[in-house]
Each structure stands twice: as C-alpha cells, then as structure tokens.
Amino acid sequence: MRNEDLPVIRRIRTDRDHVFAFAVVGRLTENALINLWGLLEAAYETHDEIDLLIRLTSYEGIDWTSAFSERMFELRSRSLRKVRRYAVVGGPLWIQASIALMKPFLSIDMRAFSTDEEEKAWEWLDAHPLQD
C-alpha cells in the first residue's frame, strides 16, 4: 500500500471508553477533516462528554480553505459542547501558541504537549493507548 493511500487520520485505541485519540499523519485536507469530524460525531452519540488526544508528530500542514469553511465551523461548534479535556501532542509551535491564546475563551480544558511529553498527555487524560 502506498503512503498516499493510508488515511491521514488514524484512530488510537485507548483503555478508557470516553477517551478518544487520533494520530494525524500527513496533510489535513478537507476529506481528512471530514473524516475526523465524522469519527468525533460518532463518539458524541454515545457519550455526554469525551476527552480527546490529537497526536501531530507526523503532521505536514493543513488545507486552510477547508479548515475555515462554513461546514467546519458548524462541526467545531458542536464539539465545544462535548469535549471536556483536549490534549494536543507535537505539531508546530504556532499550534501550541494558539491553544494558549484560545484557552481563556473556551470551556474545554486544553493543553499542548511537546512530542517528548506524550506520556504526560496520557497521564493528564488518565488513560493509556492500547497496542493494535
């Protein structure tokens, strides 16, 4: 299988039913974002609140037009009501800076962790990844 055939959003199984985790491998395109929101929507159907970890250690950028489309704003606004804790691991420094800037304005408890702090992110969520 070629690398471009693999999904950009890859689910990381966890040991806690309400903790959802995903690895972003590659560039976040409109299709990848729709896939991520679809996976989250399914989680929202069965949980009043969830905790979320996004691993960006192989992140290659984002399609900004798609990220700020009307559809994405609608999907994000629904997420604000369901996510309790949100950990971001890795990624460029601007992502960590944007989390620090947004944090006071959101009800979500958000934290950014460097790539080498991933274990701390899992501890903060009181969860562990499961091996496939």
Side-chain angles (χ1 to χ4, degrees):
M1 182 177 284
R2 297 179 322 215
N3 198 31
E4 60 267 11
D5 294 334
L6 296 172
V8 174
I9 304 296
R10 301 180 190 170
R11 177 95 189 261
I12 302 168
R13 293 183 320 117
T14 74
D15 64 345
R16 304 287 304 270
D17 184 49
H18 72 284
V19 178
F20 293 82
F22 302 94
V24 176
V25 180
R27 183 171 178 76
L28 281 171
T29 62
E30 182 173 10
N31 287 339
L33 290 166
I34 290 170
N35 180 36
L36 176 60
W37 292 116
L39 294 167
L40 290 173
E41 287 288 322
Y44 302 153
E45 291 296 318
T46 57
H47 297 83
D48 291 332
E49 288 186 320
I50 67 167
D51 291 340
L52 180 62
L53 181 140
I54 302 290
R55 180 192 298 152
L56 297 171
T57 54
S58 297
Y59 170 77
E60 295 176 3
I62 188 167
D63 175 357
W64 289 106
T65 303
S66 298
F68 289 105
S69 71
E70 187 175 328
R71 183 175 187 187
M72 290 302 134
F73 276 119
E74 179 184 321
L75 293 169
R76 268 194 299 274
S77 69
R78 279 190 265 169
S79 291
L80 292 175
R81 296 185 296 267
K82 293 286 191 167
V83 176
R84 184 178 68 102
R85 284 188 163 185
Y86 180 22
V88 177
V89 176
L93 291 177
W94 66 262
I95 289 178
Q96 295 180 14
S98 67
I99 288 172
L101 288 171
M102 291 185 312
K103 193 173 177 176
F105 304 104
L106 301 174
S107 61
I108 300 170
D109 191 2
M110 300 173 68
R111 290 194 189 170
F113 298 86
S114 64
T115 302
D116 61 344
E117 294 178 316
E118 183 171 344
E119 190 172 315
K120 289 181 182 179
W122 286 105
E123 288 173 14
W124 181 64
L125 296 175
D126 193 25
H128 298 92
L130 297 176
Q131 300 298 323
D132 288 325

